[in-house]
Amino acid sequence: MPPHAIAYAELYVADDREAAGFLTDNLGFVPVAAAGPATGTPDRRSTALRSGEVILVVTQALGEGTAVARFVEAHGDSIADLAFSCADVRSAYDRAVLAGATALRAPTPALTGGDSQYATVSGFGDIRHTLVAAGEGLPLLPPDRVWALLPAAAEAGGPRPALDHVAVCLEPGTLRKTADFYEAAFDTPYYSSEYIEVGGQAMDSIVVRNADGGITFTLIEPDDTRLPGQINRFLESHNGPGVQHLAFLVDDIVGAVRSLGDRGVAFLRTPGTYYDLLTERVSGMADRIADLRETNVLVDRDEWGYLLQIFTRSPYPRSTLFYEYIQRHGARGFGSSNIKALYEAVEREREVAGR
C-alpha cells in the first residue's frame, strides 16, 4: 500500500536553538519531544515541534563530517526529510525501490518503541523520505532515535494549521521525470500543471497529489531559455533542488497574519496597485479589500472558488526556505496567477513613480 500523508518534515540547520526559537516564538509551534546525547543519539540534537496538525523536527549536527553537517554545508538550513506515514512500510518501501528510489535503509525496527518498522528511500535532489508506520501514536516522530517527551504545554495563540502542500524547486529539464517518479514510487499522480510567464522569465510546474490529498507537491522548474528568476536563485543558493516552501492551511488567514505579525513574523509586502486592480481580476472581493490590503494577503480564483495566501520572508541565512499561509474557499489551485499579478502590480507602481 502506498503512503497516505506527510508525517513530519525534518530541517537540518546550523543552529537548532535559533531555528527552533523562530518556530516557537514567531510561528507559535510548541516543542513536544527532544533527542540527542542524553537519549542515546551522540552525533546530533533534535527538537520536534507541533502546531495544529503540522510536525516539524529541527536537527543540528554535533560534530563535523556527519550526514547532518554535510547536508547543511551543501544546502544551508533546509528540509532534509519529508516523512510519509504508511499502513504497510514494507510494501511502500518495495514499491518505491522498484520505481527507482535508492534504498537508504531497508525496513528495520523503530527505536521509538512498539513493534513498528520504518524505512528510508531517496526523493528529489538530496531529499529523503522516511516511511513510518501510521497509527503508532501522536505525534509521529523520526523513528531512528530515542525521544524524550517534553512536558505538555498549552499551544500559544495563533493559527492551528494543517499542511496544504510542499513547493519544490527542480533543475531545468527534470520536471516531468520527477513527476513520473513520484507517481510510480508513491502513488501521487499528476493533478494539474501550468506554464507561467512573468516578464522575461518563465517557469513550468506540475502538481502531484495522492488520492486523499495528504501528500501534495508543487514541482517547479525554470525555463532556461528565458531570463533567470526566483527559481534559478533558489537553485543557486540551495546548491541544487530542494523544498522552497511549506504551505500551512488555516481557517482565518487575516486573523493569522495579524497574530503572526504581532509575534514578529515578516511577510512579503504587496504593492498597493495589486489591490487597485483586484476587483477587475477577482470578482466578489470588494468588501474584503481593506483587510486584505492591510495584511498584504493575496487572492486567486479558479473555477471552483477562491483562495487567500501570503508568504513569509525566509528566516534562514541563505534565504531559501520560507513558509506560506493559505486559506481555501473552494479553490483547488495554488495561486499561480498571483505571480503574474504581482509582477504587473510592481511594474505599474514603477511607472507611476517614474512620472
Side-chain angles (χ1 to χ4, degrees):
M1 296 179 64
H4 61 82
I6 295 177
Y8 59 83
E10 183 166 11
L11 290 78
Y12 285 176
V13 298
D15 186 333
D16 64 318
R17 291 187 170 90
E18 181 178 351
F22 172 78
L23 293 173
T24 55
D25 298 341
N26 298 93
L27 298 192
F29 279 72
V30 173
V32 294
T39 66
T41 307
D43 64 335
R44 68 202 124 142
R45 183 171 58 230
S46 301
T47 303
L49 306 103
R50 183 172 189 169
S51 180
E53 299 176 22
V54 180
I55 298 173
L56 301 181
V57 179
V58 173
T59 296
Q60 175 186 329
L62 296 179
E64 298 180 359
T66 65
V68 176
R70 291 194 301 271
F71 185 94
V72 173
E73 182 178 4
H75 305 296
D77 292 4
S78 183
I79 291 176
D81 191 347
L82 289 167
F84 295 153
S85 59
C86 312
D88 186 332
V89 168
R90 166 60 73 174
S91 67
Y93 169 83
D94 289 343
R95 173 178 177 147
V97 172
L98 183 64
T102 300
L104 302 177
R105 185 187 294 270
T108 190
L111 298 180
T112 47
D115 299 325
S116 64
Q117 290 191 323
Y118 74 103
T120 309
V121 297
S122 64
F124 55 87
D126 287 338
I127 283 282
R128 68 177 186 274
H129 298 297
T130 296
L131 308 173
V132 298
E136 293 298 322
L138 293 175
L140 288 173
L141 301 172
D144 61 347
R145 68 208 79 164
V146 176
W147 291 87
L149 297 180
L150 299 176
E155 291 195 32
R160 296 289 171 266
L163 187 59
D164 186 84
H165 65 273
V166 178
V168 176
C169 293
L170 300 170
E171 298 279 6
T174 64
L175 177 63
R176 174 54 64 182
K177 179 180 179 181
T178 303
D180 290 345
F181 165 73
Y182 271 84
E183 178 174 9
F186 306 111
D187 196 22
T188 55
Y190 167 95
Y191 181 75
S192 65
S193 64
E194 189 165 6
Y195 182 79
I196 306 165
E197 295 182 88
V198 185
Q201 307 165 17
M203 65 193 79
D204 208 357
S205 69
I206 295 176
V207 177
V208 295
R209 188 183 191 199
N210 68 343
D212 60 8
I215 302 172
T216 303
F217 287 168
T218 302
L219 307 173
I220 311 165
E221 70 172 6
D223 183 341
D224 60 358
T225 68
R226 308 292 291 273
L227 293 176
Q230 60 172 294
I231 308 304
N232 304 84
R233 290 193 292 272
F234 174 94
L235 294 169
E236 182 178 356
S237 296
H238 190 266
N239 191 27
V243 174
Q244 182 203 48
H245 70 265
L246 301 179
F248 298 148
L249 181 68
V250 295
D251 294 328
D252 174 15
I253 194 168
V254 169
V257 171
R258 287 171 173 158
S259 173
L260 293 166
D262 289 342
R263 301 174 72 94
V265 177
F267 292 97
L268 296 184
R269 299 195 64 81
T270 306
T273 44
Y274 172 90
Y275 299 100
D276 296 339
L277 301 169
L278 186 59
T279 53
E280 299 175 15
R281 190 172 65 85
V282 182
S283 62
M285 301 303 298
D287 61 338
R288 301 205 62 178
I289 286 181
D291 284 339
L292 300 177
R293 187 190 294 268
E294 177 197 339
T295 54
N296 292 283
V297 170
L298 307 172
V299 188
D300 197 15
R301 182 179 291 279
D302 59 23
E303 60 185 293
W304 299 281
Y306 71 94
L307 63 82
L308 307 173
Q309 64 185 153
I310 194 169
F311 303 94
T312 72
R313 296 187 182 277
S314 175
Y316 305 106
R318 294 196 191 180
S319 297
T320 49
L321 176 67
F322 57 91
Y323 301 98
E324 174 186 357
Y325 286 84
I326 185 169
Q327 180 181 349
R328 294 186 181 275
H329 292 265
R332 302 178 188 177
F334 299 88
S336 59
S337 68
N338 273 322
I339 298 173
K340 185 175 182 180
L342 275 172
Y343 178 87
E344 291 173 344
V346 170
E347 289 303 304
R348 179 173 173 178
E349 196 167 68
R350 286 175 178 166
E351 290 173 4
V352 171
R355 289 175 183 171

